[in-house]
Amino acid sequence: MITNKLASQLRALEDEVLLMGNMVEKAVAKALDALKRRDLDASRQVIREDDHIDQKRYEIEDRCINLIATQAPVARDLRRIIAVLNIASELERMGDYAEGIGKISIMMGEEPPLKPLIDVPRMAEKASQMLKRALDALVNRDVAMAFQVCSDDDEVDALYDQVYRELLMYMIEDPKTIKRATFLLWVAHDLERVADRATNIAERVIYLVTGKFQEINVSKY
């Protein structure tokens, strides 16, 4: 039956998205760990492995296009494919932010971070939790969980504000710290954007379940 075949292919497509989400989650964690340990080889590995994430996005896109062309999906099935297309795009951008942190770490060279990394790892942990919940919401078609992901973005924004103010004070008190402070600001900004992308995924889940586009939480940045 064509219908059963489409259902099976859609499930396989979502499995690929979950796999890609796992790849992104690991990339963000590895980028932060390499930054904290000043492990430049590990940072280079994060940069190289972003190619795998990019490739996974292209594979998912190709499968989505093939399904649309051959199965002529309608209504909920079509929304499901469109949602997957958009979520894969969001995940690919998250991978780029992990790659960006790897590049910043290399630019820092052997120099230690300007200050102990406390709030930046919290941002990374919170953003990763948001990504996990957004994908759980996708699997379980859980709109309430998706809304919670959108609300959680405020906490990441608050941490970013805190990091920004703190680093600004370093720069005001000693202009020699501007370069090193700027590196950490870039890292914090990348993590803030990871959280924003998790929010976008949650909004896509809400669209998938309800059929309605909703911009739940507009980031202040």
Side-chain angles (χ1 to χ4, degrees), residues 15-53:
D15 286 344
E16 287 300 301
V17 168
L18 297 179
L19 175 61
M20 185 177 178
N22 185 257
M23 293 166 69
V24 169
E25 188 184 331
K26 286 181 178 176
V28 172
K30 286 171 72 173
L32 252 293
D33 181 64
L35 176 71
K36 285 191 288 187
R37 296 188 293 106
R38 308 304 308 119
D39 186 335
L40 301 188
D41 286 338
S43 295
R44 293 187 187 95
Q45 185 178 7
V46 170
I47 294 168
R48 287 194 301 273
E49 290 177 352
D50 185 56
D51 289 344
H52 303 314
I53 294 174

Side-chain angles (χ1 to χ4, degrees), residues 44 48-49 56-58 63 66 78 102 105 111 116-117 119 122 129 150 153-154 167 171 173 184 187 210 220:
R44 293 187 187 95
R48 287 194 301 273
E49 290 177 352
K56 180 58 70 179
R57 177 195 172 177
Y58 299 142
R63 291 174 68 166
N66 185 59
L78 182 58
S105 185
E111 204 167 21
L117 295 179
D119 290 324
R122 287 177 183 162
Q129 288 173 355
C150 298
D153 190 42
D154 291 339
L167 291 172
M171 290 189 276
E173 291 174 1
L184 289 185
V187 171
T210 67
K220 61 192 288 188

Side-chain angles (χ1 to χ4, degrees), residues 64-128:
C64 287
I65 292 168
N66 185 59
L67 276 181
I68 292 171
T70 61
Q71 302 294 319
V74 296
R76 192 181 180 90
D77 289 337
L78 182 58
R79 286 210 307 271
R80 199 169 167 184
I81 294 173
I82 298 301
V84 165
L85 269 173
N86 281 281
I87 291 171
S89 174
E90 299 289 353
L91 290 172
E92 189 269 330
R93 292 295 294 131
M94 287 178 168
D96 289 342
Y97 295 129
E99 179 189 25
I101 292 169
K103 290 179 177 177
I104 294 165
S105 185
I106 289 172
M107 283 191 280
M108 290 169 65
E110 302 291 343
E111 204 167 21
L114 177 63
K115 60 184 280 301
L117 295 179
I118 299 172
D119 290 324
V120 167
R122 287 177 183 162
M123 289 181 71
E125 183 180 0
K126 191 68 186 175
S128 291

